Amino acid sequence: MSLSFEGRVVLVTGAGGGLGREYALAFAERGASVVVNDLGADTKGGGKSSAAADKVVEEIRAKGGKAVANYDSVEDGEKLIQAALDTFGRIDVVVNNAGILRDRSFARTSDLDWDLIHRVHLRGSFLVTRAAWNHMKNQKFGRIIMTASAAGIYGNFGQANYSAAKLGMLGLSNTLAIEGKKYNIYCNTIAPVAGSRLTETVMPPDLVASLKPEYVAPMVLWLCHEQCQENGGLFEVGAGWIGKLRWERSQGRTVRQKNQPMTPEAVRDQWDKICDFTDATKPNSIQESLQSVVSELSRVESEGEVGANPTAALASAASASGINPAEAVGQKIPATTFDFSHVQCILYALGVGMSTQDPDHLRFLYENHPDFGALPTFGVIPSQAAMMEGGLSSVPGLNIDLTRVLHGEQYLELFKPLPTSGKLISQATVADVLDKGSGALILLDVNTYHGDELICFNQFSVFVVGAGGFGGKRASEKAKAALPPPNRAPDAVVIDSTTKDQAALYRLSGDWNPLHIDPDFAAMGGFKAPILHGLCSFGFAARHVLKHFAANDPSRFKAIKVRFVKPVQPGQSLQTEMWKEGNRIHIQCKVKETDAVVLSGAYVDLHGAPEASPENLPQGAGLQSELVFAEIGRRIKDLGSELVKKVNAVFGWEITKDGKSSAEWTIDLKNGTGSLHKGPYSGKADVTFTVSDEDFMEVVQGKLNPQKAFFSGKLKVRGNIMLSQKLEVILKDYAKL
Ligand code: NAI
């Protein structure tokens, strides 16, 4: 289907000659009613004549087209739009094309040279477009073109005034694209190259002749057609060739360390890295641009481990390490199938220390028990094949030495209780590869399906000793973070013994690494004797939580995260310490005999505690912020649907006390009529704030400005930082509290 402009009214500024004339003719030929604007000035903006516009209108009419002339300067923007409304009754398309030149070397540029250029190009485009804006908004259709120039994009000798104005038009276009989007008003920018009276002084005559305006016009027509969904783009166009431009940003470098001043020397020393475009990113919104700055800010504050500047030795290790994140991230490992029956479920339960001596355990050990089920942490078993069978080292960009691999952390989330038999398919993807200096950290995300149904998600954090220093990033948004326990005595402690054969039993569930059974192999790894599987201690700790806080009901189990710190010898006793914080149970696991911490930063999330309503909010946590959240809960109850309409976002809050995470809240103003609950959001919150209890109160009481809190590092923000502005809607009435 050819692109028709029947019924559309198009204004082309500066259409008395050159490119503008060509646009006007082309629009008219396809049925548009065209306002042919031209002041009839000379190339420097002097003089005035109606002849140029009249001639183009005559040409259009001679071919049976509809056109009217307008002789006003674009500096009278309203008049141009009025001409369209008076003659044709509407305005659909504005092509800001009028232009002049006053080239001078910079030192000789006069005020007039500067101002005239800005008035015609930048201010003229602003005035004409503003006059059209509300009409476009009301009719929910508009297409706008800004005409920039290569001189603006790249700079050009003698065109300081012109290049500044031209790139100003790109900035204008970028914002109009955002503001107009929801009204179906799209704005794009072109940097044309064409032979015209503006270029005949700088280009050889035969080039001027061959760079025809008709090799540009079809691009403008496409961008202005209702079918075209391009918005906020920048294009170079000439001689029939069209290319799109975008921003590229280097990975960059943080040159600051926690609690230390930032210095120009640090900037100098990192200069090559700052300017290195290897693995460059292409942010395309202010959110994307800010996000990395903000996440870097919170990373510096939380980790304080920035600026580990790769030395020459490390850099050469990089090429030897065989790690290439750009190649590896996103790679999938061939899917694995896990075919099982109740036998594997029971074997696993025995492997993690369940015993018929405990009557509670029978439901996991006896297939005819009325409540027979799989332990929730059995969910790691089907997914581990992806790791076991050397899948990782076959991934392009992950040329790693499997003998140097350590299992660093594990996250498991269940989307429904596990089946007790059947066929499960696991699909693993390399989610990220981080450079931790002394090693590489690989995040492997594994989704496990039963038929079409997603049953569980695992994230393996695999540390490859000695494979760091390849110059990659040090933190990832994709990582499921370990969290420290609250700073108080645990709410519950369970001590449980492992048997001398615990590892021999656990390995039958599928982890056949000889490290856990073969004394010679263990000795080669530097261990006195074979060690227990980290995931076995993980199973112990998880069932301690399940028993203590969820009455052994597997359907209450949502997720678990642990960090493996030290090995356990089979036969040692495990001491699981637990802290209840709403639906989250923080855990730490020690070897009782040595008091060594073996699992840290761990937690289990449970389902099923009732929604936090003001009546049943936990009182004991001793946080002042609890009161405010109770009030927010009340407010959501009263005004939920209104707030959902206004805000439409999920806010996560992490409240810290004495530097440790103490409470998490989710304010959901996106789903249903809104809700508040204590604990993290089940999906990904749109924005998450981390702030201390004290600073939270200061902000709420209006004593601390949120922006100040953010820039001083007191308030950390992850996700869409722009949503912070909507917080006011939720918090504004609390100053009274
Ligand atoms: P042109 O000089 O043939 O056309 C510009 C038209 O704008 C002229 O007819 C002029 O009378 C009119 N005009 C000047 N001031 C005006 C005002 N205040 N109000 C209304 N009309 C006014 O030049 P050309 O080459 O067709 O340029 C069109 C646009 O493309 C300009 O904005 C120019 O800066 C831009 N451009 C052109 C390039 C090229 O290679 N031709 C390169 C990069 C940008």
Side-chain angles (χ1 to χ4, degrees):
M1 270 280 281
S2 62
L3 299 171
S4 161
F5 283 87
E6 208 64 55
R8 296 285 181 213
V9 177
V10 177
L11 163 67
V12 182
T13 70
L19 285 164
R21 168 181 168 273
E22 197 60 41
Y23 304 155
L25 292 171
F27 276 115
E29 199 175 294
R30 286 172 183 261
S33 306
V34 183
V35 178
V36 178
N37 159 267
D38 208 297
L39 182 66
D42 62 32
T43 51
K44 295 191 169 159
K48 191 170 168 27
S49 136
S50 57
D54 285 343
K55 200 159 162 264
V56 176
V57 170
E58 272 163 36
E59 265 183 88
I60 291 174
R61 289 190 179 150
K63 291 186 191 166
K66 300 175 283 278
V68 67
N70 170 277
Y71 320 114
D72 291 307
S73 165
V74 286
E75 291 185 70
D76 292 315
E78 292 279 352
K79 292 190 183 163
L80 277 68
I81 299 302
Q82 203 53 51
L85 298 175
D86 289 348
T87 320
F88 302 118
R90 57 187 286 138
I91 179 71
D92 297 293
V93 172
V94 170
V95 181
N96 291 294
N97 165 80
I100 54 170
L101 287 177
R102 287 178 82 93
D103 292 358
R104 293 268 192 284
S105 63
F106 180 57
R108 295 178 52 219
T109 302
S110 68
D111 286 8
L112 186 65
D113 295 331
W114 180 268
D115 291 346
L116 259 185
I117 287 289
H118 275 72
R119 273 164 43 195
V120 173
H121 290 273
L122 186 53
R123 191 173 152 78
S125 302
F126 155 64
L127 291 168
V128 172
T129 307
R130 188 181 60 181
W133 192 257
N134 276 337
H135 301 285
M136 292 180 168
K137 210 167 138 180
N138 292 337
Q139 74 201 12
K140 294 230 163 20
F141 179 84
R143 293 290 183 269
I144 298 161
I145 297 292
M146 297 291 172
T147 308
S149 159
I153 299 171
Y154 307 107
N156 196 22
F157 191 93
Q159 295 197 309
N161 53 355
Y162 179 74
S163 39
K166 283 304 200 190
L167 214 59
M169 292 172 71
L170 174 64
L172 174 62
S173 172
N174 287 341
T175 291
L176 296 189
I178 292 169
E179 290 193 18
K181 192 169 174 217
K182 67 171 179 233
Y183 305 108
N184 190 18
I185 306 175
Y186 296 163
C187 186
N188 289 286
T189 304
I190 59 163
V193 184
S196 76
R197 62 179 200 166
L198 283 191
T199 44
E200 67 193 3
T201 49
V202 288
M203 286 182 189
D206 49 342
L207 191 59
V208 171
S210 56
L211 288 172
K212 298 187 177 128
E214 55 258 51
Y215 296 150
V216 174
M219 168 64 171
V220 169
L221 263 69
W222 165 239
L223 286 174
C224 293
H225 197 269
E226 64 201 24
Q227 276 179 22
C228 179
Q229 296 300 303
E230 184 70 35
N231 187 21
L234 169 64
F235 301 88
E236 288 183 334
V237 44
W241 170 88
I242 302 164
K244 185 170 181 179
L245 285 85
R246 66 181 172 192
W247 293 101
E248 193 178 35
R249 183 172 66 179
S250 71
Q251 280 279 329
R253 206 52 167 188
T254 300
V255 300
R256 179 174 80 85
Q257 293 189 7
K258 192 179 179 182
N259 300 332
Q260 287 182 20
M262 177 172 168
T263 65
E265 290 76 16
V267 179
R268 174 196 62 199
D269 296 344
Q270 291 295 316
W271 195 244
D272 287 351
K273 273 287 160 202
I274 291 167
C275 302
D276 179 358
F277 276 91
T278 314
D279 295 333
T281 59
K282 293 160 185 92
N284 64 17
S285 69
I286 197 162
Q287 285 85 351
E288 275 181 39
S289 151
L290 266 180
Q291 224 157 46
S292 44
V293 177
V294 172
S295 66
E296 199 53 26
L297 187 65
S298 54
R299 193 178 65 74
V300 173
E301 294 307 320
S302 60
E303 295 189 6
E305 57 167 30
V306 190
N309 309 326
T311 59
L314 274 177
S316 65
S319 47
S321 80
I323 300 256
N324 180 357
E327 206 181 344
V329 173
Q331 292 280 352
K332 294 192 177 350
I333 292 175
T336 54
T337 305
F338 181 70
D339 219 336
F340 73 115
S341 70
H342 61 269
V343 175
Q344 281 76 14
C345 304
I346 295 171
L347 197 57
Y348 174 81
L350 291 169
V352 298
M354 291 212 127
S355 156
T356 52
Q357 296 309 296
D358 190 336
D360 272 8
H361 288 175
L362 217 51
R363 63 186 292 174
F364 299 109
L365 295 174
Y366 177 40
E367 69 283 7
N368 289 328
H369 189 283
D371 294 325
F372 178 66
L375 267 174
T377 46
F378 181 61
V380 296
I381 301 298
S383 70
Q384 69 187 2
M387 300 274 309
M388 297 301 151
E389 287 150 23
L392 262 189
S393 60
S394 66
V395 172
L398 287 188
N399 184 16
I400 52 175
D401 176 356
L402 283 176
T403 64
R404 314 207 72 190
V405 164
L406 297 176
H407 191 176
E409 297 180 18
Q410 183 72 24
Y411 176 82
L412 163 70
E413 183 167 348
L414 299 189
F415 302 108
K416 35 186 47 221
L418 297 166
T420 52
S421 64
K423 199 185 254 189
L424 300 178
I425 309 280
S426 292
Q427 289 177 344
T429 310
V430 177
D432 222 337
V433 181
L434 306 178
D435 186 349
K436 293 287 185 183
S438 60
L441 185 73
I442 301 168
L443 298 180
L444 187 70
D445 283 356
V446 189
N447 280 316
T448 298
Y449 298 86
H450 190 213
D452 289 341
E453 211 167 21
L454 179 62
I455 298 285
C456 62
F457 166 81
N458 277 275
Q459 184 175 73
F460 292 81
S461 309
V462 179
F463 194 78
V464 189
V465 180
F470 50 87
K473 55 184 183 170
R474 298 178 69 91
S476 170
E477 283 172 7
K478 300 202 177 108
K480 301 284 179 184
L483 298 174
N487 191 15
R488 57 180 154 90
D491 301 325
V493 179
V494 171
I495 297 171
D496 205 353
S497 53
T498 67
T499 71
K500 294 249 185 239
D501 292 320
Q502 203 72 55
L505 187 56
Y506 181 83
R507 64 193 293 274
L508 302 183
S509 286
D511 184 342
W512 305 104
N513 188 339
L515 179 63
H516 305 292
I517 185 101
D518 181 341
D520 293 337
F521 193 92
M524 279 189 325
F527 299 103
K528 285 199 303 280
I531 58 171
L532 195 60
H533 303 70
L535 280 177
C536 180
S537 317
F538 161 95
F540 268 77
R543 67 175 176 73
H544 293 156
V545 173
L546 197 66
K547 178 171 170 131
H548 210 92
F549 291 100
N552 272 331
D553 176 0
S555 70
R556 294 274 315 273
F557 185 97
K558 178 165 179 269
I560 178 168
K561 168 79 194 184
V562 307
R563 177 181 288 160
F564 303 108
V565 187
K566 277 204 168 132
V568 175
Q569 295 299 324
Q572 287 180 321
S573 296
L574 290 170
Q575 171 170 329
T576 306
E577 301 168 344
M578 298 172 265
W579 292 259
K580 179 166 166 39
E581 289 284 305
N583 285 342
R584 173 163 288 172
I585 316 296
H586 290 269
I587 36 186
Q588 171 168 280
C589 217
K590 291 177 174 167
V591 167
K592 170 141 194 311
E593 290 79 2
T594 61
D595 209 35
V597 174
V598 291
L599 302 181
S600 75
Y603 62 85
V604 169
D605 284 337
L606 297 172
H607 290 296
E611 291 268 293
S613 71
E615 296 75 44
N616 59 17
L617 277 173
Q619 297 300 317
L623 297 176
Q624 300 179 67
S625 54
E626 304 268 308
L627 271 176
V628 178
F629 281 107
E631 184 57 35
I632 292 175
R634 246 173 249 138
R635 186 140 184 233
I636 293 176
K637 267 196 173 164
D638 294 347
L639 299 169
S641 13
E642 197 183 307
L643 290 172
V644 168
K645 246 187 249 145
K646 264 196 205 150
V647 178
N648 191 32
V650 177
F651 298 86
W653 286 90
E654 190 182 358
I655 305 293
T656 62
K657 183 92 188 160
D658 303 325
K660 299 215 163 140
S661 171
S662 280
E664 277 189 84
W665 292 91
T666 302
I667 301 178
D668 181 348
L669 294 177
K670 196 179 208 167
N671 302 299
T673 54
S675 64
L676 167 81
H677 79 259
K678 196 163 188 190
Y681 187 50
S682 51
K684 192 167 181 292
D686 295 299
V687 58
T688 303
F689 305 95
T690 305
V691 64
S692 75
D693 193 39
E694 295 78 17
D695 291 335
F696 179 83
M697 292 313 290
E698 298 258 291
V699 170
V700 163
Q701 291 166 0
K703 292 185 194 156
L704 176 62
N705 171 310
Q707 256 150 359
K708 252 196 191 152
F710 171 71
F711 283 111
S712 62
K714 288 181 171 174
L715 176 72
K716 292 181 188 123
V717 187
R718 268 177 291 136
N720 183 353
I721 184 173
M722 292 301 163
L723 285 170
S724 323
Q725 292 166 1
K726 296 198 171 173
L727 267 184
E728 207 200 331
V729 184
I730 315 167
L731 294 178
K732 71 172 172 225
D733 289 340
Y734 298 105
K736 307 186 209 85
L737 278 170

